[in-house]
Amino acid sequence: MENLDFARLQMAFTLGFHIIFACIGMVMPFFMIVSHKKWLNTRDPIYLKLTKAWQKGVAIFFVTGAVSGTALSFELGLLWPGFMEHAGPIIGMPFSLEGAAFFVEALALGFYLYGWDKLPEKFHWFTGVIIGISGVASGILVVSANSWMNAPSGFDYNNGVFSNIDPVKAMLNPAWFTEALHMTLAAFVATSFAVAGVHALQIFRKKQIELHTKAFKIAILFGAVAAILQPISGDLSAKDVAERQPVKLAALEAHYETEKGAPLYIGGIVDEEKKEVSYKIEIPKALSFLAFGDFDAEVKGLNDFPEDELPPVAVVHYAFQIMVGIGTLLMLAGLLYFISLKKKSLLENRKFWLFFIFLAPLGFVALEAGWVVTEVGRQPWIIHGIMKTKDAVTPMPGMKYSFYMYVLLYVVLGITVTWLMNRQIKALNSSKDS
Amino acid sequence: MLYVVLFFTLFSLFLYVLLGGADFGAGIVELFSSSENKKITRDTAYRVMGPVWEVNHIWLIILIVIMWIAFPVYFNVIVIYMHVPITLVLLGITMRGVAFIFRHYDAVVDKSQHLYNWMFRISSFITPVFIGMTFGALIGGKIIRTQDYENFGFYELFMAPWLNTFSLLVGLFYAALCAFLAATLLIGETEGNDRKMYSRKSAYATIVLVVIGFILLVYGYYNEMVFITDFIHNPVSIIAVSFSGILLIPLWKSIRNQSSVWSRWLAGLQVVLILFAAIYAHFPHIIIMAGEELSLLENIAPPSVITNLGIMLLIGGSVILPGLFNLMRSFNMIKIFNKNAN
Ligand code: HDD
Ligand code: HEM
Ligand code: HEM
């Protein structure tokens, strides 16, 4: 492999790592403040215990998110100096606002963590709300920088020169809304199902059932609502992609031929040499409808694009299938939860809990798969239609060592954090109720 | 608006050096303490800096973001040629950050604390050294800016500029500065014997700092380094450094009297003076390469970008600074304004 490949791997790996911690750091505060509010309203000590346990989780994830994020803000330049030299000023606005949002978040976290018994109760709770809001704001802002790479706007481009830069237009690029909406929902889906799964496991093992049921209910409520909205937002994203990045759409559907009334493929094995997909299930005319809202619309196939502008089709197609598959499953799980509110007997059923334990990691799998769709599907462009990834990479050789170092570092970190969370739960289970 | 941007660039640089520095320094002081004092330092530093320790490091992020938006060419040179030391800095920041949070937030307190503690102390020392080495390399005059990467060796382009005596001296200088800041800050946070201990430590750190600073000047002078000779011939810089030297006298007095308020102000002022002197000596040519100097004020982003950034910084600053101030006040971190604290 070349330097470029290792740089891409490192980017994917570090972003893939950061996103997990960032999402948890972004969504957990919401659970925490709901539980905190319930403690203030009911004075039920279980809620206090839960709030404090979640608060530790927030702190640990926040810091891991923050250090990996600090690394990323350098990394964009370290790996892609050619990109940052031109794109930095253009997409600077969301990043500078994001900086402000991080700052507010870190300040609020300082107040919250150290404010127990020192600040007025309501104000203390409110600082928790600010953590949540500014976390979501920063998530939306970074994603708008990313959506600019998919839908570059806010500048003129002639012979390699960027001019007439309009940072506001670049930030509010045509893709920002759909992408930010989908990503925010995804963060809630992934984190909520993961947290709910962890508590479901404790309920399944009959440990501190009352506490874990309360925790489960808070987490899954967010997750179920988001999971039901997610496919709708995904459909909006797909329509967006169809319009702006037809080659990406063709890749994620693995469509080689241009057709009117194109069928939707489910599953299938992609052969990139022979340019065909075998063992697929076809739903007639569905793709044309999903992409353009018209059963007879024309969908451009991969064969109609220049050979050197095609992304790796198989990876993108499989990743898309995984995401949509999991998305459908989680939506059903969300509905199941709402049914269980009416039919209480479900909660007595051990299979119910087993199902949610099984779902725990899937949201994050879908989330990573979604990013693969977006990022790999954009290849070979780093800025769609403007700059190729290979022209942006650092001239420094030896990227493979840097890649190995990050893998080692983050694997160790990932294991340590998991182990720490395990200890938190054990401590929670063994402590006596006061 | 360019001035607003420049102001925030320098402002976040100064704050990172001061606050981030004090934060690193707490770990360095802990590293160079007897085992009993290690524990005292650990607890005091957590109590004092806990609520803001995360905030301290965001100044670095703000600085980087401003750099890449407003000074893209500058940023480009830094990230290409300083790739290796920056990666080491990031490694250090990561280790330090997680070690800090692990040791204070692990639900179970057991032998793993030992590991977290050492990870924290060692990375607290190494990280500022690498930060200093990166700065040293930028002014060291050894960077070769070229498009012809094939004709140079990896070592020559990517290692030699920062892996040398001068950079190392700058690195050690910054680490000593951090220790000095932390020890001086901690004086005001403790009582009795502990307070005496930090007064002593602060004095030691001052001595180390002055000695390294002197070696740095002498070394640079005899090796005819552009930065040092220009520094020595720049009257404003020399006045600033001398003034910071003169301030040592009241500083030592206030340390001897264990006066937290004065020693903090003086220490902060000294660091700002030193930094100012260093930047002023060469402003706006802050990157000095082999045979070429890169001006901060040339190659800036187009005016629409600068205006936008300036507005964002003003808005952001007006939200953040009062918040930060209140956070520090609520947790009694700013005793400077507090009449009762000496
Ligand atoms: C929990 C995670 C999750 C789930 C269940 C889904 N997605 Fe998704 N999807 C993401 C997580 C995600 C993501 C990781 O968040 C992405 C990557 C970039 C983005 O903004 O969202 C994404 C991107 C993404 C894109 C590409 C957008 C682009 O390239 O600009 C499309 C077309 C879809 N999604 C469509 C769907 C559909 C039709 C789903 C139906 C159920 C679905 N997603 C469920
Ligand atoms: C879709 C992608 C991303 C999302 C949703 C996201 C979201 C977040 C969130 C919510 C945080 C707050 C930390 C926490 O609560 O745990 C965070 C931290 C951070 N992220 Fe990301 N991020 C993404 C990608 C990036 C990228 C590409 C960069 C680099 C340019 C970046 C830079 C940072 C930095 C510097 C921090 C630390 C800020 C602090 O100290 O609070 N992030 N991210
Ligand atoms: C946090 C979630 C994200 C994940 C998991 C992710 C994943 C990936 C992957 C898999 C690649 C490699 C694509 C390839 O080379 O085939 C990549 C590349 C890249 N991503 Fe993302 N991405 C995320 C968000 C972002 C954001 C928010 C930004 C920028 C603001 C960004 C900027 C880049 C850049 C600059 C590259 C390298 C150039 C390229 O391959 O096009 N990514 N990312």
Side-chain angles (χ1 to χ4, degrees):
Chain A
M1 286 204 291
E2 297 176 53
N3 226 29
L4 171 64
D5 298 312
F6 280 107
R8 286 164 66 178
L9 276 177
Q10 179 175 329
M11 194 73 203
F13 182 75
T14 46
L15 272 162
F17 181 87
H18 175 72
I19 190 69
I20 298 176
F21 291 89
C23 283
I24 299 176
M26 187 162 121
V27 176
M28 282 277 275
F30 287 93
F31 304 164
M32 184 179 85
I33 54 177
V34 169
S35 169
H36 191 163
K37 184 83 198 160
K38 293 206 166 186
W39 149 247
L40 294 181
N41 289 350
T42 63
R43 299 288 161 179
D44 178 346
I46 291 192
Y47 282 119
L48 180 61
K49 210 164 118 187
L50 187 60
T51 310
K52 293 223 167 156
W54 273 344
Q55 149 188 310
K56 279 196 173 184
V58 168
I60 293 177
F61 279 105
F62 181 83
V63 167
T64 329
V67 290
S68 58
T70 310
L72 273 178
S73 46
F74 280 93
E75 223 181 310
L76 278 180
L78 292 175
L79 299 180
W80 317 105
F83 168 69
M84 285 313 284
E85 185 171 355
H86 299 292
I90 307 176
I91 50 169
M93 186 168 165
F95 279 115
S96 56
L97 283 175
E98 187 206 15
F102 282 148
F103 222 119
V104 172
E105 192 182 352
L107 286 173
L109 192 74
F111 275 112
Y112 190 82
L113 290 181
Y114 293 81
W116 290 96
D117 306 325
K118 289 199 191 104
L119 300 173
E121 252 178 6
K122 287 239 170 65
F123 178 72
H124 179 225
W125 176 80
F126 184 67
T127 59
V129 177
I130 295 184
I131 304 178
I133 295 175
S134 49
V136 168
S138 47
I140 292 177
L141 287 161
V142 214
V143 170
S144 104
N146 178 271
S147 63
W148 177 84
M149 294 161 65
N150 289 324
S153 49
F155 61 93
D156 292 338
Y157 183 74
N158 286 310
N159 305 323
V161 181
F162 293 79
S163 55
N164 258 336
I165 296 175
D166 180 347
V168 179
K169 229 172 134 188
M171 181 168 94
L172 301 178
N173 59 71
W176 87 270
F177 181 73
T178 43
E179 230 192 284
L181 175 68
H182 196 62
M183 174 65 216
T184 311
L185 286 174
F188 274 92
V189 171
T191 311
S192 309
F193 275 92
V195 172
V198 168
H199 292 287
L201 177 66
Q202 306 305 320
I203 297 170
F204 185 75
R205 289 161 65 193
K206 299 211 171 11
K207 296 245 168 72
Q208 302 259 349
I209 292 190
E210 201 187 342
L211 176 118
H212 289 297
T213 309
K214 288 193 158 64
F216 177 85
K217 281 196 172 151
I218 294 175
I220 199 66
L221 184 64
F222 284 98
V225 173
I228 293 169
L229 297 176
Q230 187 77 335
I232 304 171
S233 135
D235 182 49
L236 288 179
S237 294
K239 290 194 163 54
D240 233 44
V241 171
E243 191 182 324
R244 248 182 312 278
Q245 295 174 290
V247 59
K248 190 193 256 182
L249 182 82
L252 53 89
E253 293 292 346
H255 254 273
Y256 282 98
E257 302 295 337
T258 300
E259 335 175 41
K260 290 205 165 116
L264 183 72
Y265 295 165
I266 296 183
I269 294 182
V270 183
D271 187 334
E272 286 187 53
E273 302 274 292
K274 291 207 199 110
K275 303 187 183 239
E276 50 182 45
V277 188
S278 37
Y279 305 111
K280 65 211 176 228
I281 301 169
E282 284 189 39
I283 305 178
K285 300 200 179 189
L287 177 57
S288 286
F289 180 72
L290 282 182
F292 297 102
D294 168 3
F295 285 105
D296 292 315
E298 182 182 90
V299 176
K300 264 184 121 186
L302 289 162
N303 292 341
D304 275 12
F305 295 97
E307 192 71 40
D308 63 347
E309 288 184 13
L310 296 188
V313 181
V315 178
V316 178
H317 180 63
Y318 297 144
F320 188 65
Q321 300 293 313
I322 293 174
M323 170 172 69
V324 176
I326 293 177
T328 316
L329 183 65
L330 294 182
M331 179 187 68
L332 296 177
L335 292 173
L336 178 71
Y337 173 70
F338 285 120
I339 294 173
S340 82
L341 290 182
K342 289 260 172 288
K343 258 187 82 176
K344 295 262 190 273
S345 62
L346 270 175
L347 298 178
E348 308 297 320
N349 191 334
R350 285 172 67 79
K351 289 213 184 90
F352 178 85
W353 299 112
L354 214 50
F355 181 53
F356 279 96
I357 298 167
F358 162 77
L359 293 178
L362 293 188
F364 279 104
V365 175
L367 191 111
E368 301 281 358
W371 279 105
V372 170
V373 172
T374 308
E375 303 287 301
V376 181
R378 191 182 56 239
Q379 301 306 315
W381 302 103
I382 189 168
I383 309 173
H384 179 70
I386 305 274
M387 183 190 282
K388 292 225 164 132
T389 309
K390 67 172 166 30
D391 299 325
V393 72
T394 178
M396 194 189 84
M399 280 311 302
K400 71 171 154 204
Y401 301 105
S402 151
F403 171 63
Y404 293 145
M405 186 198 85
Y406 273 103
V407 172
L408 183 73
L409 178 69
Y410 283 177
V411 167
V412 172
L413 254 183
I415 295 174
T416 318
V417 171
T418 319
W419 175 75
L420 282 179
M421 285 299 132
N422 198 13
R423 277 157 69 110
Q424 299 279 3
I425 292 173
K426 280 209 185 116
L428 195 61
N429 284 341
S430 62
S431 65
K432 296 268 171 310
D433 285 319
S434 45
Chain B
M1 275 299 166
L2 181 59
Y3 290 99
V4 174
V5 172
L6 269 179
F7 169 78
F8 274 95
T9 316
L10 292 182
F11 186 69
S12 22
L13 176 71
F14 281 18
L15 281 181
Y16 185 65
V17 169
L18 281 176
L19 299 177
D23 202 6
F24 286 126
I28 302 178
V29 171
E30 199 181 308
L31 178 67
F32 292 105
S33 291
S34 65
S35 54
E36 184 195 342
N37 288 342
K38 276 192 169 73
K39 192 168 160 5
I40 297 173
T41 304
R42 172 189 195 271
D43 295 342
T44 320
Y46 178 68
R47 181 166 53 78
V48 182
M49 287 193 265
V52 281
W53 84 276
E54 178 55 41
V55 175
N56 291 345
H57 293 272
I58 297 186
W59 293 112
L60 177 64
I61 297 167
I62 307 265
L63 181 64
I64 288 303
V65 170
I66 297 181
M67 289 291 285
W68 91 42
I69 300 175
F71 312 109
V73 178
Y74 226 73
F75 182 70
N76 203 23
V77 169
I78 298 179
V79 286
I80 292 180
Y81 296 99
M82 293 295 119
H83 194 127
V84 183
I86 289 179
T87 305
L88 294 170
V89 169
L90 293 175
L91 189 69
I93 290 180
T94 309
M95 301 295 260
R96 209 186 100 84
V98 296
F100 179 88
I101 203 80
F102 288 174
R103 74 179 186 166
H104 294 292
Y105 286 90
D106 192 345
V108 185
V109 178
D110 60 10
K111 270 196 282 205
S112 28
Q113 286 290 336
H114 195 68
L115 181 70
Y116 307 151
N117 282 334
W118 278 103
M119 225 166 91
F120 178 75
R121 291 169 198 145
I122 292 178
S123 47
S124 290
F125 178 54
I126 292 181
T127 312
V129 172
F130 282 124
I131 294 180
M133 287 176 87
T134 312
F135 272 111
L138 292 178
I139 53 173
K142 286 215 167 73
I143 298 175
I144 305 165
R145 197 178 172 207
T146 173
Q147 293 300 325
D148 178 17
Y149 295 96
E150 304 300 321
N151 264 333
F152 293 90
F154 181 85
Y155 188 83
E156 203 175 347
L157 283 182
F158 299 108
M159 304 294 282
W162 62 275
L163 197 58
N164 55 49
T165 317
F166 178 73
S167 294
L168 185 66
L169 282 171
V170 178
L172 292 175
F173 184 76
Y174 183 50
L177 200 77
C178 295
F180 163 71
L181 282 168
T184 314
L185 177 80
L186 290 174
I187 296 176
E189 294 300 332
T190 40
E191 307 273 315
N193 275 338
D194 296 351
R195 188 171 251 211
K196 285 217 182 66
M197 168 186 84
Y198 290 118
S199 302
R200 230 180 313 119
K201 288 207 185 300
S202 167
Y204 286 149
T206 318
I207 296 172
V208 175
L209 195 62
V210 172
V211 170
I212 299 180
F214 186 71
I215 299 178
L216 198 59
L217 284 181
V218 173
Y219 178 88
Y221 187 74
Y222 281 103
N223 286 287
E224 291 174 13
M225 303 198 54
V226 179
F227 176 76
I228 297 292
T229 44
D230 283 11
F231 186 89
I232 293 176
H233 291 122
N234 186 316
V236 177
S237 296
I238 285 300
I239 292 173
V241 174
S242 322
F243 188 55
S244 133
I246 295 171
L247 285 184
L248 278 176
I249 300 166
L251 178 72
W252 280 43
K253 274 218 177 97
S254 65
I255 288 178
R256 187 158 330 121
N257 299 336
Q258 298 169 18
S259 153
S260 63
V261 178
W262 276 104
S263 52
R264 264 179 216 187
W265 272 110
L266 287 168
L269 185 60
Q270 279 184 310
V271 174
V272 170
L273 279 172
I274 295 175
L275 209 60
F276 169 78
I279 290 175
Y280 189 85
H282 246 270
F283 196 81
H285 298 272
I286 299 177
I287 298 186
I288 304 174
M289 298 178 283
E292 187 189 356
E293 293 178 8
L294 197 60
S295 163
L296 190 66
L297 296 182
E298 285 157 28
N299 310 310
I300 53 177
S304 62
V305 174
I306 298 287
T307 310
N308 180 280
L309 178 62
I311 296 172
M312 292 304 120
L313 287 171
L314 287 175
I315 297 175
S318 59
V319 176
I320 288 163
L321 295 176
L324 182 62
F325 185 74
N326 273 317
L327 180 67
M328 295 175 107
R329 233 206 354 221
S330 307
F331 295 102
N332 242 339
M333 254 169 288
I334 332 187
K335 296 225 178 94
I336 317 172
F337 300 101
N338 196 336
K339 285 196 207 80
N340 307 336
N342 290 351

